[in-house]
Amino acid sequence: MAVDAFEGQYVWRPAADDRQLARACMDVRTGRYLSAHEALKDARGAFDLRAHRSLVLASEAADSDLAERWLAEEPGAEAALLWARVAMLRALRMADAHDRRQGALVRIAQTACERAAELLPEDPTPWVIQLALARLQKARDPAPQGLLTAPPGPWYLFAHILRLDPWNREAHHRFLAYFFTRNGGSASARWDVASFLSQRAPAASALRLLPLVALVEDYDPHALLADRTWEQPQWRATAMGIYHSWFPQVAQYQFTPVLDLAYLAHALYMAKCEFEAREVFTAMGPYASRMPWSAFGEPEEQLTKARRSCGLPVPGAA
């Protein structure tokens, strides 16, 4: 992986330096799907990449009829996957807007997932899409042994995904999000699940970042000394452990894992580990994600503040 140098402006596009995905996004915006088909088909052997590409492409297609048209004109595994993603996004949007049509859209999305799973059974992504919808259905499967709070949730669905892909990134993040307070979960369950999932992951896995994701989700700007939380020994040790074990692996990535790097850079910056944070920011190049920065204020302002603290160039600097 070789990222572009920072040239004075942040690049917020989720495709980042995945050139094939960026081209496919441009085509989707103009109503064409051939390059989207190629981008998804080329990622069949890399499930995390296929999941990411399908989500980014669906975000571009969700407000048009491209997914439906593609499925009607050239049905296949890639068309079915994009349709499932688009249906998922629409269902979640309706749910967040408390629109009474959400039930019908959830059923459409589930049917789309079933079709995509049938066309490419080894791909966990259609099941991950169903996991994203699980918070709307309040699955209450019993938790496995090893969790202090034993929170019920979509454990059976999660277990099925892990049989297909044990360290699927999106599945772990979707599953943790099921227990977020804003999705009807609790702080105790969230911490229990984040700890359980991260500890079972390999030391060099990006899934070790899950407690840092939960920490941002738990952030309360009105709490006493809230911004000092990351300076506590346990959180500083967590961030430094990820820096030493996972961050060296990033150089081997085909494309920049912007969101994961952002969470690590943020944690190191908040823990006053500016030297290490500087290295992580440098590895990100110009690419930026709105999370975790948006949890603390306007994303660009927060990112600029952090980069400036680490002695790195920021937009508008002379």
Side-chain angles (χ1 to χ4, degrees), residues 235-266:
W235 293 116
R236 184 190 293 262
T238 297
M240 289 299 294
I242 297 166
Y243 169 79
H244 287 298
S245 297
W246 171 69
F247 180 59
Q249 312 301 317
V250 171
Q252 303 173 22
Y253 278 50
Q254 187 176 3
F255 305 110
T256 305
V258 178
L259 186 57
D260 288 333
L261 287 171
Y263 271 99
L264 178 56
H266 171 265

Side-chain angles (χ1 to χ4, degrees), residues 101-184:
R101 293 173 292 176
Q102 68 167 320
L105 289 175
V106 168
R107 289 189 292 274
I108 291 172
Q110 288 177 325
T111 301
C113 289
E114 292 169 2
R115 180 174 183 176
E118 289 173 358
L119 289 172
L120 198 63
E122 66 270 24
D123 183 9
T125 313
W127 301 99
V128 175
I129 297 171
Q130 292 196 50
L131 188 59
L133 298 168
R135 67 177 173 87
L136 306 181
Q137 301 161 308
K138 304 300 179 187
R140 307 293 290 177
D141 307 331
Q145 294 182 348
L147 287 94
L148 294 175
T149 61
W155 290 98
Y156 297 158
L157 176 56
F158 185 54
H160 177 72
I161 295 169
L162 298 189
R163 285 193 290 271
L164 293 172
D165 186 17
W167 311 116
N168 187 279
R169 182 196 178 280
E170 185 181 348
H172 282 75
H173 281 264
R174 294 286 187 186
F175 189 70
L176 176 60
Y178 179 91
F179 299 96
F180 287 171
T181 303
R182 56 187 162 90
N183 293 332

Side-chain angles (χ1 to χ4, degrees), residues 269 272 274 278 303-312 314:
Y269 156 68
K272 307 299 185 186
E274 283 90 355
R278 179 188 177 97
L303 176 56
T304 294
K305 178 182 175 182
R307 286 180 60 93
R308 185 179 287 118
S309 176
C310 295
L312 290 169
V314 297

